[in-house]
Amino acid sequence: MRNLKLLRTLEFRDIQAPGKPQCFSLRTEQGTVLIGSERGLIEVDPVAREVKNEIPLVAEGFLPEDGSGCIVGTQALLDQESVCVATASGDIILCNLSTHQLECVGSVSSGISVMSWSPDQELVLLATGQQTLIMMTEDFEPIMEQHIHQDDFGESKFITVGWGRKETQFHGSEGRQAAFQMQMHESALPWDDHRPQVTWRGDGQFFAVSVVCPETGARKVRVWNREFVLQSTSEPVAGLGPAMAWKPSGSLIASTQEKPNQQDVVFFEKNGLLHGHFKLPFLKDEVKVNDLLWNIDSTVLAVWLEDLQREENSSLKTYVQLWTVGNYHWYLKQSLPFSACGKSRIVSLMWDPVTPYRLHVLCQGWHYLCYDWHWTTHRSSGDSSSDMANVAVIDGSRVLVTVFRQSVVPPPMCTYRLLLPHPVNQVAFSAHPEKSNDLAVLDASNQISVYKCGDSLHVDPTVKLGAVGGNGFKVSLRTPHLEKRYKIQFENSEDQEVNPLKLSLLTWIQEDVFVAVSHSRSSPQSVIHCLTAAPPETDGEQGRLSVSSSVAVDGVIISLCCNSKTKSIALQLAGGQILKYLWESPSLAVEPWKNHGGFPIRFPYPCIQTELAVIGGEECVLGLTDRCRFFINDTEVASNITSFATYDEFLLLTTHSHVCQCFCLRDASLKTLQAGLSSHHVSNGESLRKVERGSRIVTVVTQDTKLVLQMPRGNLEVVHHRALVLAQIRKWLDKLMFKEAFECMRKLRINLNLMHDHNPQVFLENVETFVRQIDSVNHINLFFTELKEEDVTKTMYPPPVTGAVQLLKGSHGKNIDIICDTVRTAMENIDPHKYCLSILTAHVKKTTPELEIVLQKVHELQGRAPPAPDAVSAEAALKYLLLLVDVDELYDHSLGTYDFDLVLMVAEKSQKDPKEYLPFLNTLKKMETNYQRFTIDKYLKRYEKAIGHLSRCGPEYFPECLNLIKDKNLYNEALKLYPRDSQQYKDISIAYGEHLMQEHLYELGGLVFARCGAHENALNAFLACGSWQQALCMAAQLGLTEDQLAGLGRTLAGKLVEQGKHSDAATVLEQYAQDYEEAVLLLLEGAAWEEALRLVHKYNRLDIIESNIKPSVLEAQKNYMAFLDSQTATFSRHKSRLLVVRELKEQSQQGNLDDEVPQGQESDLFSETSSVMSSSDMSGKYSHSNSRISARSSKNRRKAERKKHSLKEGSPLEDQALLEALSEAVQGTENLKDEIYHILKVLFLFELDEHGRALQKTFEDTLQLMERSIPEIWPLAHQQNPSIPVLGPHSTANSIMASYQQRKTSIPVLDADLFIPPKINKRTQWKLSLLE
């Protein structure tokens, strides 16, 4: 659905040269044109508009002086500074363009009619006057000569086995006699010049020759290979014309055929058989086809036609038509009418061999024209919903318009056709935002036809419906009507005759105001014309457009784009400069387009497609080159873009990676777009979508979600890009258009939670609007069934930017119950009968389904007649409910309502056997009400309710209740059901206490026993847990004797000693067993020196000081000294070993860096017991081994952990084991401070100063040793995060490699605590200053 857009026109008029031009060729490297005439050869530079070389051939005798000579062909030789010229007299001349030296390299006495070089210029083929073909090398050495007429078919002659003969085939209405009709050979066309025509395939392996057969007088096409061997001969074709061109891609040979009522372009395969055709828009004997030319990429076929003389005084014209094919349909895209006589008569034309869409034309009056075209898509550019997303396709004198908003019609079909009197060359949609459907058409006669959409009083005969019309269909489409036709008035009418495409880049910017561009014929300048409608002189249909103003621009304008919102017009020059055309200002000036920094913008390469868009608040120029390089302003954003389009605030692009990407331009920047389009960027699912290979963007339907793509073959595909879909849904939700949003989400499988999650507050405030707009029970039910706790705006559909709505949501999740209740309330207020099923769904979809309420509502429906015609019956409601809830679950809930009518109603809908549930229900009906409900709750395993009902059945059912309480551990719930002074309460409490005792929760059991008055049980429980205060309280409650109390005290003391509570045990012995001596011994055992002295002095037993206390203190001092000496020695030994292990590891890592030794689980170069293996390897090894033993017993796991941190020298993780041991040593020493302080006070009190000073000095030395060693054992490097590499602008290769190695040897997360140094609290007071 693309058209050819004229980018630029290059003219060189009135070339000063003798004679008349006959043929020409191109020197592509120099950009010059070689033109041959009957006088000689000239080389012109069309850009500089000068003649560079002039080589006369008359003076050298190669051409006659009387002007009757003829040059039949010229060819510029790429590898030489020369040109090969062939004359009709038979001379082949090599002309050196540098030295102007002429050399006759060969001569044919019979003359030469055609000279044709192969595309690779390695072979040259000559057609002679003796009807022979001569093939020569590039050095003009003859290879072979053969007769041009051959009797043989060729090497590819078809083989038949007889059963496929024509005589045996069915011939339909022609009858059986058609099988025996003789083929009648028609002679060549009357205007045929009988000259041979030669064309080469693009790779130079084959060439075809079209000649008139002397026997039949008809033309035939013969195909020869590169070795000059005949391959095939065409089948007889009546009316075959002389023009012929082989498609460069090699598939088809184009020629012409005149049929009884039409003229066709026909195609031959290499085997000579016909393969397709298309009709030319002329009748028989109306025109003749002079030549056919394929462009270099085989996409455009140029047809050169000329009017045949029919009337004496009629003005004859010559036409150049450009045809393209898409979806098996041939489109006439451009038609260039020239005069067939005088200076404007075409002498020759050819496509550029390098630039695919550049056509060179040479006219008889020494006029040279060069046209550059490229593909473009003409689409309407409105942003409102009134824009119909029109796309116009030029097809000769028709414009095929497809309205994609209402229908997607694949080409070559269309929605409607505009019929014009002349072939169309340009179309332009109105740039006015509200009139974007209006269309202006510029045809080959320089008439502009304006079609406007709107109400028309009459049916326009020039507008015909396409694929949307037909019998039995009512067309809802509003077709446009022809408003007026305007004739463009030029100051110089001669310009139109010489250059039929004077105006290019037609743009409709305002009502009756057009902008177009023309190029200067004498200098590299362009002129911007502003065309306005002149006031009509009469009331006739024909209007006039005159040039109201013109602005000259230095440079060649190759593109023009207009922004319908900002009304800005940007021009692009051939050099890449971007200009702004100020068409609204009185001066109509042109100024450079500048970026936000104030610098002029210039594309590095010329762009074939340009558009304007607002990116991040700045209006930017977007450009795409023919090499798929995409620019925004002067910055290259990507180099793999095949097409792009802007829509509202979005930029859509297709890439060579066969994906379509969509970017929001509102808050975007060039850096974000570059990052998003980079090859290594991983985009989220919203902005990227895969498309079919070779897809290109056709259009985007505004205020909709449709994106139309065209495949290489021409067929269309409509996709709904997720970014466009979500953006449109958000707009609809913001406008409270819930119905449109819901339909779109349902159709395109968007999660319906977005209806609420987009803006929860607004949704809940407008729930009634939501219900009224949806107005469908099924759709509301669908909304309920998709509800979930997840916020889809944070997971599935995150917004492009964080808006105010997102900030208001907070971090807490949504509450489904609130949504269900709010929507249900709204439905109940609007029409509870209509939305009955939806109300039931709201109850069921709550976090805890309210099935009892649902069943009750269904039961209520059964008991009353339907009050409204749209009300739902109970049976229908129950049937719907079974779709949402499992029938067995629903049966259980109905049973839980204790309503047997409801139970029967549900049971009838289930698959249960009546023999199963009817006896059960009958049994229940016979029971007392409370016991009945107890039985039901027990059946439903609702034990809390069950014991509640059973407790109301009377005391005779208490044993059954107590058994159920014990069985289901319902003690707390059961205690709430009975008064505290009742026997049932005490029995339950005693059972509860026994249960706690079995669970070894002795203290809790004792509390329960004590509360209910079971003091003896409480005493046993408190004794078991060692709670001596509570035990003694219970003893007082029981009234024990002094002897029993003393025995109890000794028992309690023994248990407290076992628990390490020596002070508590001493208190019990002293106060309740009156055994203060044993109490003092226990205090000495527990190092409670000061408390022991208190008891000694209390009972005036000072002899115990000498006999027991002092020896215990000295023994404790001796033990502390030995322990500290051992700790110091162990600490120093572990520290030294740790430094050695670390040094060995560093050496190992350095060796690995130098030798590139692979490490990992697969490395066998190191022994598993080697201490130089890296910690990362060992962590991987042990994580693997741990995973293998994870299923074993906990004993084995503990054994594996101990083995993992082994202090054995050479173990894999010896360094971590040493760190663990050193940390334990420091913590153990730190914990001794309080004990040391208390013993130092006692030593000083007993005048044992030497022992005290020695202990204090030893402990201080140990602490200082550990404090000094901590920075060395736990350096700062190990405290940092080893997983973060040290990278940045100041990094070096060595620092990056060191960081990488550090990351490789990083510690596992589970052992990270080992690398945190232990803390020594210096504020803890432990020293005794009296001993210093």
Side-chain angles (χ1 to χ4, degrees):
M1 304 193 71
R2 296 185 295 173
N3 300 319
L4 285 175
K5 176 179 68 174
L6 182 63
L7 299 181
R8 59 187 294 181
T9 303
L10 178 61
E11 290 188 61
F12 187 11
R13 295 193 185 182
D14 302 325
I15 302 173
Q16 301 300 317
K20 294 182 180 180
Q22 296 176 341
C23 60
F24 74 109
S25 62
L26 304 175
R27 297 186 69 193
T28 55
E29 293 182 357
Q30 290 75 17
T32 58
V33 181
L34 296 166
I35 304 175
S37 67
E38 74 271 18
R39 294 291 178 181
L41 198 68
I42 65 169
E43 181 182 11
V44 299
D45 186 348
V47 177
R49 291 174 174 81
E50 63 179 5
V51 178
K52 298 187 66 175
N53 281 316
E54 187 171 354
I55 305 173
L57 299 179
V58 176
E60 299 295 333
F62 294 112
L63 292 174
E65 296 182 358
D66 57 1
S68 60
C70 179
I71 296 178
V72 296
T74 61
Q75 178 67 49
L77 303 179
L78 299 177
D79 56 347
Q80 308 175 34
E81 285 289 327
S82 57
V83 59
C84 179
V85 181
T87 64
S89 59
D91 293 328
I92 304 173
I93 308 159
L94 198 62
C95 308
N96 192 303
L97 298 175
S98 300
T99 61
H100 292 196
Q101 180 180 355
L102 301 177
E103 178 185 1
C104 183
V105 295
S107 182
V108 180
S109 58
S110 60
I112 298 175
S113 57
V114 176
M115 178 185 71
S116 179
W117 285 76
S118 63
D120 54 9
Q121 292 192 355
E122 293 182 358
L123 297 174
V124 60
L125 191 70
L126 303 177
T128 69
Q130 294 181 345
Q131 299 295 304
T132 61
L133 295 174
I134 301 175
M135 181 179 286
M136 296 188 294
T137 65
E138 58 183 336
D139 298 327
F140 303 102
E141 295 181 1
I143 297 176
M144 189 180 299
E145 180 177 4
Q146 291 203 36
H147 202 275
I148 202 169
H149 303 290
Q150 298 283 332
D151 296 332
D152 189 16
F153 180 87
E155 286 187 344
S156 301
K157 184 176 181 179
F158 303 111
I159 299 175
T160 176
V161 295
W163 50 265
R165 292 180 301 171
K166 184 176 181 181
E167 292 82 356
T168 64
Q169 305 303 307
F170 175 68
H171 295 276
S173 60
E174 295 182 359
R176 186 167 178 266
Q177 64 273 11
F180 304 99
Q181 290 180 356
M182 299 297 295
Q183 180 69 37
M184 300 298 294
H185 297 282
E186 295 187 11
S187 59
L189 299 174
W191 46 268
D192 194 338
D193 57 4
H194 289 242
R195 292 180 56 192
Q197 298 290 331
V198 179
T199 180
W200 290 81
R201 201 169 76 171
D203 57 0
Q205 298 299 315
F206 297 92
F207 63 91
V209 181
S210 173
V211 292
V212 177
C213 180
E215 298 176 357
T216 62
R219 275 198 173 265
K220 284 187 177 182
V221 178
R222 290 183 173 88
V223 178
W224 311 70
N225 65 6
R226 192 180 180 89
E227 285 73 31
F228 216 172
V229 177
L230 181 63
Q231 298 297 301
S232 61
T233 303
S234 67
E235 60 178 303
V237 178
L240 187 64
M244 182 177 60
W246 200 320
K247 198 172 184 179
S249 61
S251 56
L252 298 172
I253 304 170
S255 187
T256 61
Q257 181 186 12
E258 192 169 280
K259 293 183 178 179
N261 297 312
Q262 65 187 47
Q263 291 221 34
D264 288 351
V265 174
V266 296
F267 300 102
F268 290 95
E269 296 180 2
K270 185 171 70 71
N271 56 13
L273 297 179
L274 285 172
H275 184 94
H277 69 279
F278 68 88
K279 179 183 175 182
L280 293 173
F282 298 99
L283 300 176
K284 182 184 179 182
D285 298 329
E286 189 176 351
V287 294
K288 65 176 181 178
V289 180
N290 289 336
D291 204 357
L292 299 172
L293 302 99
W294 289 99
N295 71 332
I296 192 64
D297 65 355
S298 303
T299 56
V300 183
L301 176 64
V303 182
W304 174 17
L305 308 103
E306 186 175 343
D307 282 339
L308 294 174
Q309 185 74 37
R310 286 174 292 174
E311 299 178 4
E312 294 184 1
N313 298 325
S314 62
S315 59
L316 302 181
K317 287 190 175 183
T318 303
Y319 311 94
V320 178
Q321 295 182 343
L322 304 184
W323 293 79
T324 64
V325 66
N327 223 8
Y328 307 106
H329 175 77
W330 282 90
Y331 298 86
L332 174 56
K333 293 296 184 184
Q334 294 282 302
S335 181
L336 286 67
F338 292 86
S339 176
C341 56
K343 295 182 178 181
S344 300
R345 183 177 182 273
I346 297 177
V347 173
S348 180
L349 72 156
M350 66 183 301
W351 287 102
D352 193 277
V354 176
T355 306
Y357 303 104
R358 178 174 294 171
L359 182 67
H360 304 269
V361 182
L362 181 63
C363 298
Q364 192 168 355
W366 289 99
H367 296 285
Y368 166 80
L369 295 169
C370 177
Y371 298 102
D372 278 358
W373 283 280
H374 217 284
W375 295 111
T376 188
T377 302
H378 288 107
R379 49 178 172 252
S380 56
S381 58
D383 286 333
S384 64
S385 58
S386 62
D387 181 81
M388 304 304 292
N390 301 295
V391 175
V393 179
I394 297 175
D395 186 13
S397 60
R398 304 182 305 167
V399 177
L400 312 180
V401 182
T402 303
V403 181
F404 283 106
R405 178 174 294 278
Q406 294 186 329
S407 60
V408 179
V409 182
M413 296 185 291
C414 61
T415 307
Y416 58 84
R417 301 184 298 273
L418 307 180
L419 307 181
L420 282 301
H422 303 282
V424 178
N425 286 333
Q426 296 185 60
V427 295
F429 284 96
S430 175
H432 195 285
E434 298 178 359
K435 301 179 180 180
S436 58
N437 298 315
D438 296 347
L439 180 65
V441 180
L442 174 64
D443 58 29
S445 65
N446 276 312
Q447 283 190 124
I448 292 182
S449 302
V450 175
Y451 286 85
K452 292 189 176 182
C453 289
D455 296 330
S456 178
L457 299 177
H458 59 278
V459 178
D460 194 339
T462 65
V463 180
K464 299 293 184 181
L465 287 175
V468 298
N471 297 328
F473 290 94
K474 181 180 179 181
V475 180
S476 61
L477 177 70
R478 296 175 61 187
T479 57
H481 61 276
L482 178 62
E483 181 76 13
K484 195 142 191 171
R485 283 200 173 99
Y486 298 95
K487 182 69 176 178
I488 301 177
Q489 299 292 328
F490 291 103
E491 297 179 359
N492 189 356
S493 61
E494 183 186 353
D495 292 349
Q496 174 66 17
E497 295 181 0
V498 177
N499 181 13
L501 299 182
K502 179 176 175 60
L503 296 180
S504 62
L505 306 177
L506 179 68
T507 306
W508 189 2
I509 58 174
Q510 205 174 10
E511 185 74 21
D512 296 334
V513 178
F514 298 87
V515 170
V517 175
S518 67
H519 301 95
S520 174
R521 65 183 184 181
S522 58
S523 61
Q525 281 190 338
S526 300
V527 181
I528 309 171
H529 303 285
C530 189
L531 307 175
T532 57
E537 298 178 357
T538 63
D539 294 335
E541 184 179 337
Q542 184 79 20
R544 290 186 299 108
L545 281 178
S546 60
V547 179
S548 61
S549 61
S550 298
V551 179
V553 177
D554 290 333
V556 179
I557 299 175
I558 61 172
S559 72
L560 183 150
C561 57
C562 177
N563 190 331
S564 59
K565 289 183 178 179
T566 62
K567 298 185 178 180
S568 302
I569 294 181
L571 311 171
Q572 180 194 185
L573 302 183
Q577 299 90 340
I578 305 298
L579 305 177
K580 179 181 286 187
Y581 177 45
L582 307 175
W583 63 276
E584 291 182 311
S585 66
S587 60
L588 294 175
V590 174
E591 64 180 20
W593 190 289
K594 297 181 180 179
N595 56 18
H596 65 279
F599 298 100
I601 293 173
R602 176 174 182 173
F603 286 148
Y605 300 93
C607 294
I608 57 173
Q609 180 187 354
T610 56
E611 288 192 26
L612 292 173
V614 178
I615 302 177
E618 178 193 357
E619 190 171 17
C620 300
V621 186
L622 285 62
L624 180 65
T625 70
D626 56 350
R627 299 288 183 178
C628 302
R629 305 179 74 167
F630 183 63
F631 295 93
I632 298 180
N633 287 348
D634 48 5
T635 304
E636 183 173 358
V637 179
S639 58
N640 65 335
I641 305 300
T642 56
S643 66
F644 78 95
T646 57
Y647 155 65
D648 197 11
E649 58 187 25
F650 290 98
L651 170 66
L652 295 106
L653 310 101
T654 57
T655 69
H656 281 309
S657 303
H658 322 304
V659 296
C660 179
Q661 289 186 263
C662 183
F663 297 96
C664 180
L665 301 179
R666 183 174 60 246
D667 299 308
S669 64
L670 292 182
K671 290 185 178 179
T672 58
L673 292 176
Q674 280 180 314
L677 288 168
S678 60
S679 58
H680 56 80
H681 175 73
V682 179
S683 180
N684 60 4
E686 180 177 334
S687 64
L688 185 141
R689 178 195 173 101
K690 291 185 177 181
V691 294
E692 190 175 333
R693 180 185 298 269
S695 300
R696 294 178 183 271
I697 296 174
V698 175
T699 188
V700 184
V701 182
T702 58
Q703 303 301 321
D704 203 338
T705 61
K706 286 190 287 190
L707 170 64
V708 185
L709 303 172
Q710 187 169 26
M711 306 304 111
R713 184 174 65 86
N715 54 313
L716 299 180
E717 180 178 344
V718 176
V719 300
H720 297 267
H721 200 290
R722 182 56 56 89
L724 298 180
V725 172
L726 294 177
Q728 188 60 44
I729 290 173
R730 292 180 184 119
K731 289 180 183 178
W732 281 328
L733 293 178
D734 290 337
K735 298 177 182 178
L736 302 183
M737 300 170 64
F738 295 111
K739 182 176 180 62
E740 291 80 358
F742 186 90
E743 290 294 338
C744 179
M745 296 166 73
R746 189 172 69 92
K747 181 172 65 174
L748 300 178
R749 306 290 294 170
I750 303 296
N751 195 292
L752 294 177
N753 282 269
L754 187 62
M755 299 281 292
H756 168 270
D757 297 345
H758 174 68
N759 195 330
Q761 182 179 353
V762 171
F763 178 82
L764 295 176
E765 291 173 354
N766 297 274
V767 162
E768 285 201 12
T769 306
F770 167 76
V771 174
R772 293 181 188 277
Q773 286 189 15
I774 301 301
D775 196 33
S776 170
V777 175
N778 292 334
H779 290 174
I780 295 176
N781 292 342
L782 182 63
F783 170 75
F784 278 130
T785 54
E786 285 203 14
L787 283 178
K788 55 184 178 180
E789 295 285 350
E790 174 190 352
D791 187 352
V792 296
T793 61
K794 296 179 180 178
T795 55
M796 300 175 65
Y797 313 119
V801 292
T802 303
V805 174
Q806 297 295 319
L807 296 177
L808 291 174
K809 286 185 182 180
S811 58
H812 60 276
K814 66 185 180 186
N815 193 333
I816 292 181
D817 294 349
I818 295 178
I819 303 172
C820 292
D821 290 340
T822 308
V823 179
R824 176 178 54 80
T825 304
M827 291 187 293
E828 290 173 347
N829 293 335
I830 296 172
D831 190 346
H833 303 296
K834 175 182 178 181
Y835 297 108
C836 176
L837 297 183
S838 299
I839 293 172
L840 298 180
T841 309
H843 286 294
V844 172
K845 290 304 294 182
K846 295 184 73 171
T847 307
T848 303
E850 300 174 342
L851 295 181
E852 290 83 358
I853 299 177
V854 170
L855 289 168
Q856 195 62 40
K857 288 181 179 290
V858 174
H859 189 49
E860 293 174 1
L861 289 176
Q862 190 180 25
R864 67 186 180 197
D870 57 348
V872 180
S873 63
E875 185 177 357
L878 185 60
K879 187 176 181 181
Y880 168 75
L881 200 59
L882 293 176
L883 298 176
L884 299 178
V885 187
D886 181 68
V887 63
D888 294 329
E889 183 181 357
L890 198 61
Y891 173 81
D892 291 343
H893 277 85
S894 64
L895 191 62
T897 61
Y898 316 117
D899 188 338
F900 292 100
D901 293 338
L902 189 61
V903 175
L904 287 173
M905 184 176 67
V906 175
E908 288 173 358
K909 297 294 181 182
S910 69
Q911 299 295 323
K912 291 181 177 293
D913 188 352
K915 294 180 180 180
E916 295 179 3
Y917 64 82
L918 285 179
F920 175 64
L921 295 179
N922 292 330
T923 304
L924 291 174
K925 288 181 180 179
K926 297 176 182 178
M927 296 179 181
E928 188 266 336
T929 302
N930 287 321
Y931 195 78
Q932 176 193 84
R933 295 186 176 183
F934 157 72
T935 308
I936 292 174
D937 289 330
K938 186 178 179 182
Y939 172 78
L940 297 177
K941 299 181 179 179
R942 299 189 302 190
Y943 300 109
E944 292 184 21
K945 285 188 175 182
I947 61 174
H949 291 301
L950 191 59
S951 66
R952 291 190 286 271
C953 289
E956 64 272 15
Y957 290 98
F958 178 72
E960 184 178 357
C961 181
L962 185 60
N963 291 333
L964 182 62
I965 293 170
K966 291 180 180 179
D967 189 28
K968 303 301 177 183
N969 294 330
L970 300 173
Y971 300 101
N972 287 326
E973 293 78 7
L975 290 174
K976 300 174 184 177
L977 300 175
Y978 293 96
R980 293 189 178 182
D981 56 351
S982 64
Q983 184 62 34
Q984 291 91 342
Y985 186 90
K986 186 173 182 180
D987 293 344
I988 295 172
S989 298
I990 292 174
Y992 191 16
E994 292 173 351
H995 168 72
L996 292 174
M997 294 287 287
Q998 292 175 359
E999 297 293 327
H1000 302 288
L1001 301 173
Y1002 301 111
E1003 186 172 9
L1004 298 179
L1007 293 174
V1008 172
F1009 285 135
R1011 180 172 176 174
C1012 69
H1015 301 300
E1016 188 172 351
N1017 293 340
L1019 177 60
N1020 294 331
F1022 289 134
L1023 276 176
C1025 68
S1027 179
W1028 61 277
Q1029 293 96 336
Q1030 293 288 349
L1032 293 172
C1033 291
M1034 292 299 104
Q1037 294 270 0
L1038 291 171
L1040 298 182
T1041 64
E1042 291 185 1
D1043 293 340
Q1044 291 175 334
L1045 201 59
L1048 178 63
R1050 292 187 182 279
T1051 303
L1052 281 173
K1055 288 188 175 293
L1056 291 172
V1057 169
E1058 290 176 1
Q1059 296 175 5
K1061 300 178 180 179
H1062 294 81
S1063 298
D1064 293 342
T1067 301
V1068 172
L1069 287 176
E1070 182 213 353
Q1071 295 182 3
Y1072 292 91
Q1074 284 77 38
D1075 191 353
Y1076 63 88
E1077 293 183 356
E1078 187 66 26
V1080 170
L1081 294 178
L1082 289 180
L1083 291 172
L1084 293 178
E1085 185 180 346
W1089 318 109
E1090 297 177 8
E1091 181 67 14
L1093 286 174
R1094 184 186 70 81
L1095 290 181
V1096 167
H1097 287 285
K1098 176 181 177 182
Y1099 292 99
N1100 198 20
R1101 288 292 305 274
L1102 301 181
D1103 58 302
I1104 297 178
I1105 295 176
E1106 296 295 334
S1107 62
N1108 294 96
I1109 295 179
K1110 280 188 178 180
S1112 297
V1113 170
L1114 290 174
E1115 183 68 22
Q1117 187 266 351
K1118 182 179 177 182
N1119 291 336
Y1120 281 131
M1121 292 289 290
F1123 175 75
L1124 292 175
D1125 290 341
S1126 174
Q1127 281 285 80
T1128 304
T1130 303
F1131 186 85
S1132 301
R1133 185 173 69 254
H1134 288 344
K1135 172 188 169 184
S1136 302
R1137 179 59 187 169
L1138 178 63
L1139 298 178
V1140 172
V1141 171
R1142 285 179 176 172
E1143 185 178 356
L1144 290 174
K1145 283 200 170 187
E1146 290 179 2
Q1147 294 176 1
S1148 172
Q1149 291 176 6
Q1150 188 63 37
N1152 291 340
L1153 284 176
D1154 296 338
D1155 303 335
E1156 292 293 330
V1157 176
Q1159 293 191 7
Q1161 293 183 11
E1162 296 82 5
S1163 176
D1164 296 328
L1165 300 180
F1166 297 105
S1167 169
E1168 287 192 0
T1169 59
S1170 174
S1171 62
V1172 299
M1173 202 166 186
S1174 68
S1175 61
S1176 64
D1177 299 325
M1178 289 300 101
S1179 64
K1181 173 182 179 296
Y1182 270 91
S1183 64
H1184 181 67
S1185 64
N1186 283 344
S1187 66
R1188 284 187 283 113
I1189 67 171
S1190 59
R1192 301 178 189 173
S1193 64
S1194 59
K1195 179 180 178 181
N1196 287 344
R1197 287 198 295 272
R1198 289 194 299 270
K1199 184 177 179 182
E1201 284 295 324
R1202 290 196 300 269
K1203 184 178 179 182
K1204 177 181 176 182
H1205 288 167
S1206 173
L1207 289 172
K1208 181 180 178 182
E1209 291 190 6
S1211 62
L1213 298 178
E1214 184 185 359
D1215 55 342
Q1216 295 186 27
L1218 290 170
L1219 281 175
E1220 186 178 17
L1222 289 168
S1223 179
E1224 291 175 356
V1226 174
Q1227 291 291 347
T1229 306
E1230 173 70 15
N1231 295 335
L1232 284 178
K1233 284 184 177 181
D1234 192 50
E1235 298 180 22
I1236 296 293
Y1237 178 65
H1238 287 294
I1239 196 172
L1240 287 177
K1241 289 193 295 183
V1242 177
L1243 288 171
F1244 179 79
L1245 186 64
F1246 291 154
E1247 298 180 359
L1248 300 174
D1249 295 359
E1250 294 300 326
H1251 293 82
R1253 288 192 187 95
L1255 178 59
Q1256 183 168 294
K1257 180 69 168 56
T1258 303
F1259 190 64
E1260 184 176 15
D1261 293 344
T1262 304
L1263 284 177
Q1264 290 179 355
L1265 171 64
M1266 293 180 177
E1267 288 178 7
R1268 291 194 305 269
S1269 302
I1270 283 178
E1272 192 175 358
I1273 297 172
W1274 289 276
L1276 293 177
H1278 287 275
Q1279 298 178 33
Q1280 297 175 352
N1281 188 358
S1283 63
I1284 301 176
V1286 183
L1287 301 174
H1290 303 292
S1291 301
T1292 62
N1294 293 333
S1295 67
I1296 294 174
M1297 184 56 72
S1299 170
Y1300 172 73
Q1301 278 299 318
Q1302 182 180 351
R1303 187 176 57 195
K1304 277 183 64 179
T1305 60
S1306 62
I1307 58 176
V1309 178
L1310 295 176
D1311 298 330
D1313 293 341
L1314 298 177
F1315 292 83
I1316 300 176
K1319 296 186 184 294
I1320 296 180
N1321 191 357
K1322 296 183 180 181
R1323 296 182 179 180
T1324 303
Q1325 180 64 35
W1326 67 271
K1327 291 180 67 175
L1328 192 63
S1329 60
L1330 298 173
L1331 292 175
E1332 292 181 353

